[in-house]
């Protein structure tokens, strides 16, 4: 390569570097879209709106939540995978970012290769709830009723590989029952049917259920896992009834499309870290039984490690349960 060519290449690289630096310094200059791939009104939507409201304060631009729901969250997720990597389209998602890799033979994106992790946002427990007229006065009676009437009991969830589906699978396996699964585009619509009595049982995140339980619109039979929840102190833990093998907590994380400029990712991570440290955010989440992560976990490295762990563990659990989406 002649000196002239080398000089031209160096000059080009310098301009490119300068342009991306100026771009990042000015970012964001217009509203950002935060995609939540489950229906409005569910636990994911609730958590997404808390962070959209908090992060827009730190970024100085409006963040609009968009819910292209369906197909176990893959419709919204692929929208972000295919978006311009300019920092204006983000994805807030949880365990289904990992499980969909095992569930779908022909997934139109790869959860790791097609995304830039921004950072983890929350973690939170799940609770088994039912319609108010469900004929069981407590957890032992609930378990006995499921075992005696399993095929007649409907179990709502947000599609294969979703948190509510995973919890439902674990519950059916732990109790040795097979319930009649009813999939929804999110547990927001599922909760409406539960309150209306059209569906019987749901295992959902507390951010979707605690307000309805406290308002007496549905009833809670078990906090999933070894211990009771501060948000629902009178609800027994599933372990109290001797139910083993039922324990799952759900974490949400924020992603951008692969190729988003590093300085833009850093700006988004910084806004996420300020949000998880914001007492208003922490209190709002705690009122729903959810915890914001520490600032050390609101980082790309922590989210990448968490996603790898879920891909390695939960995908195998679903395959063992013989679950496939297509
Ligand atoms: C799920 O995985 O069950 C979803 O988070 C439900 C939702 O957010 O609507």
């Amino acid at each position: 390569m002649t000196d002239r060519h080398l000089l031209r290449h160096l000059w080009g690289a310098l301009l490119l570097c300068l342009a991306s630096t100026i771009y990042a310094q000015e970012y964001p200059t217009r509203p950002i879209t935060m995609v939540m791939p489950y229906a409005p009104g569910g636990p994911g939507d609730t958590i997404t709106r808390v962070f959209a409201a908090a992060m827009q304060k730190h970024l100085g631009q409006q963040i609009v939540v968009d819910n292209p729901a369906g197909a176990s969250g893959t419709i919204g997720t692929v929208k972000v995978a295919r978006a311009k990597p300019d920092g204006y389209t983000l994805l807030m998602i949880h365990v289904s970012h990992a499980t969909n890799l095992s569930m779908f033979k022909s997934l139109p994106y790869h959860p790791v290769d097609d995304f830039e992790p921004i950072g983890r946002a929350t973690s939170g427990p799940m609770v088994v709830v039912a319609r108010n007229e469900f004929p069981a006065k407590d957890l032992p009676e609930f378990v006995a009723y499921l075992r005696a009437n399993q095929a007649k009991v409907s179990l709502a969830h947000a599609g294969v590989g979703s948190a509510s589906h995973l919890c439902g699978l674990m519950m059916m396996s732990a109790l040795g029952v097979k319930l009649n699964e009813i999939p929804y585009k999110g547990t927001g619509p599922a909760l409406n049917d539960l309150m209306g009595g059209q569906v019987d049982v749901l295992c959902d995140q507390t951010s979707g259920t605690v307000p309805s339980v406290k308002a007496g619109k549905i009833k809670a039979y078990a906090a999933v896992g070894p211990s009771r929840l501060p948000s629902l102190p009178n609800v027994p833990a599933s372990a109290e009834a001797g139910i083993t093998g039922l324990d799952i907590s759900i974490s949400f994380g924020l992603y951008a499309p692969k190729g988003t400029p590093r300085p833009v990712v850093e700006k988004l991570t910084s806004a996420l870290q300020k949000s998880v440290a914001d007492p208003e955010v922490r209190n709002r989440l705690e009122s729903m039984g959810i915890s914001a992560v520490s600032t050390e976990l609101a980082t790309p490295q922590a989210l990448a490690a968490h996603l790898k762990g879920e891909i390695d563990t939960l995908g195998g659990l679903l395959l063992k349960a013989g679950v496939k989406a297509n």
Side-chain angles (χ1 to χ4, degrees):
M1 183 184 287
T2 64
D3 287 355
R4 271 171 58 82
H5 267 100
L6 183 62
L7 203 59
R8 195 177 298 148
H9 272 275
L10 284 174
W11 185 240
L14 187 65
L15 279 178
L16 202 62
C17 179
L18 199 59
S20 72
T21 305
I22 293 167
Y23 178 88
Q25 275 166 355
E26 291 170 355
Y27 170 85
T29 55
R30 55 187 165 82
I32 296 165
T33 298
M34 191 178 281
V35 169
M36 164 26 64
Y38 289 93
D45 181 57
T46 302
I47 288 171
T48 303
R49 290 179 191 280
V50 167
F51 280 91
M55 286 181 69
Q56 69 183 14
K57 281 189 305 190
H58 301 300
L59 290 166
Q61 275 295 336
Q62 191 190 10
I63 297 182
V64 179
V65 175
D66 175 27
N67 302 75
S72 294
T74 56
I75 290 174
T77 305
V78 73
K79 179 173 179 178
V80 179
R82 292 176 178 161
K84 274 177 73 180
D86 57 8
Y88 289 98
T89 308
L90 306 177
L91 173 69
M92 181 68 89
I93 194 167
H94 61 2
V95 64
S96 63
H97 202 48
T99 55
N100 282 337
L101 189 58
S102 313
M103 291 298 93
F104 291 85
K105 278 196 300 290
S106 54
L107 199 61
Y109 60 84
H110 189 282
V112 177
D113 300 346
D114 294 329
F115 294 87
E116 296 289 354
I118 304 295
R120 293 183 62 185
T122 64
S123 69
M126 300 194 81
V127 60
V128 178
V129 292
R131 60 186 172 83
N132 272 337
E133 296 70 36
F134 194 82
K137 72 174 182 309
D138 56 23
L139 182 52
E141 271 196 24
F142 175 74
V143 171
Y145 187 91
L146 291 193
R147 284 179 171 147
N149 302 277
Q150 49 187 302
K152 288 185 282 185
V153 176
S154 54
L155 171 76
H157 59 68
V160 288
S162 64
S164 44
H165 183 231
L166 275 173
C167 186
L169 282 178
M170 285 182 178
M171 182 176 72
M172 289 192 283
S173 168
L175 301 184
V177 299
K178 183 75 182 91
L179 306 180
N180 176 25
E181 294 181 34
I182 311 288
Y184 289 79
K185 290 189 173 179
T187 50
L191 198 65
N192 290 337
D193 278 2
L194 200 72
M195 288 190 274
Q198 284 84 20
V199 68
D200 294 320
V201 175
L202 166 67
C203 181
D204 198 11
Q205 301 156 67
T206 54
S207 48
T209 46
V210 164
S212 304
V213 173
K214 287 185 171 174
K217 295 177 181 170
I218 55 173
K219 55 185 174 182
Y221 282 108
V224 170
S227 42
R228 296 194 176 206
L229 304 176
S231 52
L232 295 171
N234 301 326
V235 177
S238 50
E240 285 178 53
I243 301 171
T244 55
L246 177 54
D247 187 1
I248 181 171
S249 70
I250 301 302
S251 290
F252 279 86
L254 192 62
Y255 295 87
K258 179 65 89 183
T260 302
R262 182 59 37 206
V264 171
V265 170
E266 286 164 0
K267 249 188 190 176
L268 288 165
T269 298
S270 168
L272 177 63
Q273 289 179 316
K274 288 172 188 160
S275 302
V276 297
D278 182 339
E280 210 178 293
V281 169
R282 301 188 74 86
N283 294 339
R284 174 95 171 77
L285 293 171
E286 269 158 36
S287 72
M288 299 181 282
I290 299 289
S291 306
V293 300
S294 64
T295 49
E296 292 71 30
L297 290 182
T299 61
Q301 299 75 12
L303 180 56
H306 184 81
L307 175 61
K308 184 182 181 317
E310 289 192 328
I311 289 173
D312 294 346
T313 54
L314 292 168
L317 179 143
L318 283 162
L319 291 174
K320 204 172 79 183
V323 180
K324 287 298 277 181
N326 64 15

